[in-house]
């Protein structure tokens, strides 16, 4: 990694201060997420220091999305009711300037979800988070995938992600290396940051990806920029995963240890040497 | 704590015997609960010795609520279907004299839930369990709250809880000190019992509150009075939490250890010195 | 156990090779399962080496059921939407020859589910998995049960299971001894295999039964016969349970250790001495 503004001590201090603010402020994060991982996502937010609210009744979400400090919309298991709730919540968030994250799970393989994602994007998500296939599908540069996994590396979706920056303030592409696209606070130039590390157990536990979207939402409530929020969320998750791996005996104990580590992991070592500017 | 009937050896023996009966009889507890914590609540009931049934199809709940030994209705994530199920189940429970618990999650902040709670209360819940804001909202002494948390201490809701005793046989107010209002088995006088202790990890795991409602339901099936059921449930939960805290490294391992402890915790020490008559 | 073809070294080698193939091929298993255990079932499949997809939107399930390597339909918490999804998915699986498992949870006690099970059976499930009461209810040899548990031993359901073999290729009856009915690969004769062992903690954790149905689905994608798939799934689950029991302190830590063990358990010892031909 070359010496860049991203690597200065000042920059690291700002991110560490953002992490501290998350615990101090315990932002209220409204989640419209999927039924498979809703419990895990709520526990991840609690462990990280945020206050989750998982209400998804269409008649309740507008008020909550407006009152919350951030909103997550995850398309993992859409239903007629939850789709109505997503439409109303994204509109309310947009009107009240609640920052929000769109996680278009399955949008690459399932037409209903790609169409729904494009509709929700009219309310300008603050950040879009997905795997390479999903990001490419939203940018209309390709659709594929089988189920909800991807056949692409995050690098392959960079061009698609750059196109999406016209419709959002940040794009997080999951992969072996996570790649985060946003704008520099100092120059407003487009910036791509690579996050290295984490644990091979993460994809062996359902919801670790959904949890990243939730963590980005939480950090949007306390960070200076969407880029900072994406970096803090990924560093928090990956540093905790590396700590959890030290004591895990398999995917079950890894998930438990990850929640423990999210509560108390020190991010400074990770910030010093696991990020690259691309 | 002054020397009162609640503190006699006879009283402690009765509560310990109730705890033993829970394991021996393994009562069938029908739960209409929320989608966030439904798995955790089922595992809590199994760990404590009860038999959970989480069926929520509107056409199935009447028969099950009538056949079950107790019913829990938790408003955490209402949907059109689950609201219909709650109405039918509460009515069936009332007709068949199945004891039931109402946990009005979010009733302080969300008007839909307050209105639904008041409707369900027409079928006289045996116990109402909530935080201070929720109890005050049901007694129409105030509405507030943001999301599903409270800004009030349990003590502030005591007057509201006393008013609710006209519509229910017991009120459990969650807080740093849990406060339980019921009637003495001996004198039928109103009694308030404070439960001290537990673990600071409990609010850091989603569903520990919902689990209390489920445990009260389970104990209603085997206890002499609603007050006994509320006390046993809270003592069981808090004693297990203290035991779990001894080995927990964070919220993930605390939740696991709490389930382990619910299976085998000894309540006698806790009963001896953690309760106050107020 | 007498010396039979099932006990030859060749047979054990075939089952061990099937277990290895599960990890190598990571089959895509589409699950329409219940809301109580959906997270646990997904984690069990991931731990065992499969790729779960839990999509249940009625408009998405036909494509996914056709594309998937196997399908699970579990009736644990039916709703109007999920019932529509089950009908469409089972039909699509049948047309595209995707092997599928029916787990008729509650069909003994709840008429809606028995009727739904019989409707779905028109699309010929590859395997039916249930407790004794459920298997008897589907074969119309008796209905009973309270909630979702059974009052019968698996042996009592053998006659019912034999009748069901006209409508399916395999029947797995859960109980203290699990009994698996299928046809010998060599002779096409009906065969009954008993699986002994496992852990007393299994029924104390919600979803361990649902997980068995999911594991059978996963193994159907890689096994030579439905009988092999049923045996591999049960041996995998029971051997992992015995390993997990060695370190468990209660139901919470058992569930975690079971996931860990599903990832890495060695089946050879279990195959050698825990199966009987009946």
């Amino acid at each position: 990694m070359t010496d860049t503004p991203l690597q200065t001590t000042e920059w690291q201090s700002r991110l560490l201060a953002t992490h501290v603010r998350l615990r101090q402020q315990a932002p209220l994060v409204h989640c419209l997420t999927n039924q498979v991982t809703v419990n895990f996502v709520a526990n991840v937010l609690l462990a990280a220091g945020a206050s989750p609210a998982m209400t998804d009744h269409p008649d309740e979400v507008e008020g909550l999305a407006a009152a919350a400090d951030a909103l997550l919309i995850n398309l993992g298991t859409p239903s007629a009711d939850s789709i109505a709730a997503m439409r109303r919540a994204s509109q309310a968030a947009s009107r009240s300037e609640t920052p929000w994250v769109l996680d278009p799970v399955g949008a690459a393989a399932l037409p209903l979800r790609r169409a729904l994602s494009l509709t929700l994007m009219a309310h300008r998500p603050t950040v879009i988070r997905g795997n390479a296939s999903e990001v490419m599908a939203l940018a209309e540069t390709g659709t594929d995938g089988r189920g909800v996994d991807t056949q692409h590396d995050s690098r392959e979706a960079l061009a698609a992600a750059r196109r999406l920056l016209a419709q959002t303030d940040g794009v997080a592409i999951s992969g072996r290396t996570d790649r985060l696209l946003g704008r520099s606070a100092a120059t407003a130039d487009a910036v791509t940051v690579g996050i290295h590390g984490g644990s091979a157990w993460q994809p062996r536990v359902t919801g670790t990806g959904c949890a990243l979207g939730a963590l980005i939402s939480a950090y949007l409530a306390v960070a200076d920029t969407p880029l900072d929020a994406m970096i803090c969320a990924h560093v928090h998750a990956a540093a905790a995963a590396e700590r959890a791996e030290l004591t895990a005996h398999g995917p079950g104990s890894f998930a438990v240890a990850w929640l423990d580590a999210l509560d108390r992991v020190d991010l400074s070592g990770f910030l010093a040497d696991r990020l690259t500017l691309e």
Side-chain angles (χ1 to χ4, degrees), chain A residues 15-37:
Chain A
L15 294 179
L16 288 172
T18 305
H19 175 59
V20 170
R21 276 205 301 280
L22 184 71
R23 297 186 182 288
Q24 288 172 336
Q25 299 186 14
L28 181 63
V29 182
H30 180 198
C31 301
L32 295 175
T33 189
N34 67 71
Q35 296 304 310
V36 184
T37 65

Side-chain angles (χ1 to χ4, degrees), chain A:
Chain A
M1 183 175 175
T2 55
D3 188 25
T4 71
L6 275 186
Q7 228 183 347
T8 59
T9 304
E10 186 189 329
W11 172 80
Q12 289 183 21
S13 297
R14 195 178 75 233
L15 294 179
L16 288 172
T18 305
H19 175 59
V20 170
R21 276 205 301 280
L22 184 71
R23 297 186 182 288
Q24 288 172 336
Q25 299 186 14
L28 181 63
V29 182
H30 180 198
C31 301
L32 295 175
T33 189
N34 67 71
Q35 296 304 310
V36 184
T37 65
V38 60
N39 176 271
F40 189 64
V41 165
N43 275 328
V44 163
L45 286 171
L46 283 167
S51 292
M54 318 309 274
T55 302
D56 63 356
H57 192 292
D59 292 343
E60 292 186 333
V61 296
E62 285 166 313
L64 191 53
D69 298 307
L71 169 69
L72 167 70
I73 296 186
N74 172 303
L75 269 55
T77 54
S79 67
D81 270 0
S82 74
I83 289 170
M86 289 174 192
R87 290 172 186 273
R88 293 169 72 167
S90 58
Q91 186 172 46
S94 177
R95 282 186 185 160
S96 59
E97 301 191 0
T98 303
W100 71 283
V101 173
L102 174 64
D103 191 338
V105 181
L110 298 160
L112 181 149
R113 301 191 193 190
R114 184 164 166 277
L116 175 59
S117 298
L118 297 177
T119 302
L120 298 175
M121 283 166 65
H123 300 300
R124 195 176 178 92
T126 316
V127 169
I128 295 171
R129 189 213 82 86
N131 63 34
S133 293
E134 289 155 1
V135 168
M136 292 161 76
L138 295 201
E140 308 193 48
T141 57
T143 62
D144 72 351
R146 183 163 175 256
V148 297
D149 295 326
T150 185
Q151 271 80 55
H152 295 282
D153 180 69
S154 59
R155 188 183 300 276
E156 299 175 60
L158 283 174
R162 277 187 211 105
R163 288 180 58 182
L164 288 178
L165 279 184
Q167 297 166 269
T168 184
D169 300 322
V171 180
I173 318 166
S174 294
R176 188 201 292 260
T177 295
D178 295 321
R179 289 186 164 83
L180 316 177
L181 280 80
R183 296 191 185 279
S184 157
T187 65
D189 287 344
V191 174
T192 303
V193 175
I195 307 283
H196 308 274
S199 167
W201 287 120
Q202 283 172 280
R204 299 290 305 283
V205 176
T206 193
T208 51
C210 304
L212 264 178
L215 288 172
I216 296 171
S217 297
Y219 274 109
L220 281 173
V222 296
D224 292 341
T225 67
L227 183 61
D228 278 10
M230 291 190 292
I231 295 172
C232 280
H234 282 76
V235 167
H236 195 162
E242 293 188 2
R243 178 171 165 150
E245 193 176 80
L246 299 176
T247 57
H249 302 291
S253 52
F254 172 78
V256 171
W258 194 54
L259 289 171
D260 284 354
L262 285 170
D263 172 63
R264 61 179 59 188
V265 70
D266 176 6
L267 306 190
S268 53
F270 198 98
L271 278 171
D273 65 9
R274 297 287 216 298
L275 279 64
T276 52
L277 191 70
E278 304 197 337

